[in-house]
Amino acid sequence: MPIMLSPQDVDDVFDDESFLEERFADVQRLLLESRHPPGADTLVSVPSSRLRLTVRPDVPGPLGRCSTIRIDPSPPAPAAPATGRVELVLADDGSLLGLADAGALDDWRAAVPSGLAARYLAPPGPQALGLFGAGAQAWACLLVLRRALPSLAVVRVVGRDRAGAKDFALAAGRHTGLKVVADDDPRTGARHADVVVATGGHPPVRADWLTAGALLIDQTDTTRQAFPPRPARPTIRSVRLAPAGRASAVPDAGTPDCLALGEIVAGRALPRRAGADVLHYRSDDLAGWDTTAAAAGLRQAWRRDLGTALPVGRTYR
């Protein structure tokens, strides 16, 4: 029977150590796969209903071959909250397997690849995390990185709203058991961190604020580029979420030597030329990942009896 997952259901599904390890493996597999990637998404506008549909091609996954249909307001508003966005998961015969809050899925689908990237790109034994943002996206990133980097001990939260950042820090400390504090100074929050995460709605981050050898995980377009390197500043190297063998398809304006994460995972490239190099990882789309994550989330929800059952078909009494 199809099920419906609320934002809280999606959070409960993904905030699980063994489940996240399986998803890290999914992302790694997609980065290393040599098969032809699935086709492009198909966008369909429905003017009479002010909706926009995104149809993603079917891919193999934990529930067999599945495809998804995402429903968003049309035209999309970049600054609008993700409420009211729905994603349907369909079997290869077109039958409905379930639906979930698309905004909540997006937060975790961005966070999981970033967690895998952190394992390959973070400096050895990172202990301090600078978290820029205090929303749902930042929450998902924190919980994923807690699993990906078990050495983390301290989290500094920087948000536009001081009260919101303090509330986030209090809730995060209780949930994770880590020392989580709100930091009013963005420069300090970045300078004292081994790994910095920039999420939507955060104060802008300057890459040159970072300490030597740090990792910047960038999930937004507002991160400022670093100043040109000088002898007193570490080199900034860029890495994007892209499969191995497709580095030429990785655009990064002003950074001609941008690396594909898949090349690093495959062992064909080193992320740093020197230990002091700062890495700037940019989150991006990964073919097949969105559908794989949605289908895996549904399977996990069925296993844990999460979500709300959706009776389909006519019932006779």
Side-chain angles (χ1 to χ4, degrees), residues 48-271:
S48 60
S49 61
R50 300 178 62 84
L51 295 177
R52 181 173 61 103
L53 309 184
T54 304
V55 182
R56 296 190 176 101
D58 63 323
V59 296
L63 297 176
R65 296 197 69 87
C66 296
S67 60
T68 62
I69 299 177
R70 180 189 176 104
I71 305 174
D72 290 288
S74 178
T83 56
R85 301 176 183 181
V86 178
E87 192 154 327
L88 285 67
V89 181
L90 307 177
D92 57 357
D93 63 358
S95 59
L96 177 66
L97 297 175
L99 58 90
D101 183 279
L105 279 175
D106 287 346
D107 294 334
W108 290 96
R109 288 186 294 208
V112 172
S114 295
L116 180 71
R119 285 187 168 175
Y120 284 91
L121 305 179
Q127 294 189 341
L129 172 67
L131 186 59
F132 280 63
Q137 188 181 24
W139 183 264
C141 282
L142 171 60
L143 299 189
V144 168
L145 289 173
R146 175 186 59 153
R147 304 294 188 186
L149 303 174
S151 60
L152 287 179
V154 179
V155 181
R156 291 182 171 85
V157 180
V158 181
R160 291 189 182 278
D161 176 59
R162 179 182 300 180
K166 289 183 177 180
D167 290 343
F168 181 98
L170 181 61
R174 289 174 176 171
H175 188 80
T176 64
L178 301 174
K179 179 182 178 181
V180 185
V181 297
D183 198 323
D184 295 334
D185 183 359
R187 187 185 297 267
T188 302
R191 180 69 66 188
H192 293 143
D194 303 302
V195 178
V196 174
V197 179
T199 66
H202 68 87
V205 178
R206 293 188 69 105
D208 55 305
W209 289 351
L210 305 177
T211 188
L215 166 64
L216 170 61
I217 297 175
D218 191 355
Q219 294 191 349
T220 177
D221 293 330
T222 63
T223 299
R224 298 176 182 173
Q225 294 294 325
F227 291 124
R230 296 193 317 224
R233 287 199 181 98
T235 300
I236 310 295
R237 301 199 75 198
S238 292
V239 180
R240 274 189 182 270
L241 180 65
R246 296 177 206 158
S248 60
V250 184
D252 197 342
T255 314
D257 61 343
C258 182
L259 298 173
L261 180 60
E263 292 293 318
I264 297 171
V265 172
R268 295 200 287 262
L270 293 175

